[in-house]
Amino acid sequence: SQQGEEDPQALSIQEGENATMNCSYKTSINNLQWYRQNSGRGLVHLILIRSNEREKHSGRLRVTLDTSKKSSSLLITASRAADTASYFCATEKETSGSRLTFGEGTQLTVNP
Amino acid sequence: EPEVTQTPSHQVTQMGQEVILRCVPISNHLYFYWYRQILGQKVEFLVSFYNNEISEKSEIFDDQFSVERPDGSNFTLKIRSTKLEDSAMYFCASRQTATGNTIYFGEGSWLTVV
C-alpha cells in the first residue's frame, strides 16, 4: 500500500449519522493533515495532528492518530448534506522536509 | 481568513504551447508549493520553493517545468511545451514555516491541453 491510503474509497450515509474515514501510512511522520475537496474545487484544510498527539477536535470533526499502527481516522459527527465531498489525508514525513504525500481519498456522500 | 489565490481558474491550451499559472500566496508565508491532481487521481507534489530557490522537486517536475517568484507577492509555474498528459488541476500552496504547520491550498487552476 502507498503512503497515505484512505478507506473506505466511498461512503454513503444519511444526514445526522456519523462518518468515519481511515488513513494508513508507511513511514514515520512529522504530522498528518486532513483536507476536504468539493468536486472540482480546491483543498480545504480541516485539521493537522502532530506525531506526538493522539486526538484533536474541531467542531464536529475528531481526528485520531495511532503512530504505532501508522493510522489515523477522521470522524464527522451529525453529518450534513453539505459535508458531501472527498476527504484526503496527507502526511509529512520526518525526513523529507516539507512535502505532503496525499492518499487516494474517501468520497463521502451524505443523503438528505 | 487569508487565502491563497490562483489565476486563471481554467485554461485551455494547444499542445506544445507555453502556459504560466499564477499564484499569490498568503502574505506572511515563506514556503511555497505546486501540486497537481489529474482527474480522478490523487494530489501529487511537484515542487517546493523557499528563499527564491527550489528546495525540493518530484520526478514529475522535469525540465519542462519551472517556477519563479518574480516579485514580492506572485509565485508562478511555467510549463514550456505542454503535453496532453499535463492536463490536470494545479494547486498552489503556502505555509509559514518549513514544517509542522498547516499548508494552505488555493482553489486550483484547471489546465486542459488539447
Side-chain angles (χ1 to χ4, degrees), chain B residues 32-59:
Chain B
F32 315 119
Y33 308 86
W34 286 99
Y35 288 76
R36 79 171 186 191
Q37 184 181 32
I38 295 171
L39 188 64
Q41 298 186 22
K42 61 181 177 181
V43 178
E44 301 172 291
F45 169 79
L46 292 178
V47 66
S48 59
F49 191 86
Y50 168 71
N51 200 26
N52 282 321
E53 60 183 25
I54 291 173
S55 46
E56 188 183 1
K57 60 183 180 180
S58 72
E59 56 279 3

Side-chain angles (χ1 to χ4, degrees), chain A residues 33-73:
Chain A
Q33 307 189 35
W34 283 91
Y35 290 85
R36 185 186 75 226
Q37 184 182 36
N38 288 44
S39 182
R41 303 293 304 276
L43 295 161
V44 175
H45 185 263
L46 298 176
I47 288 185
L48 179 152
I49 187 164
R50 293 186 170 81
S51 59
N52 61 352
E53 297 174 312
R54 292 297 165 256
E55 188 171 310
K56 281 187 91 166
H57 296 83
S58 176
R60 294 183 296 112
L61 307 180
R62 173 176 163 252
V63 168
T64 62
L65 179 65
D66 186 337
T67 52
S68 67
K69 294 181 180 176
K70 292 186 168 57
S71 67
S72 173
S73 68

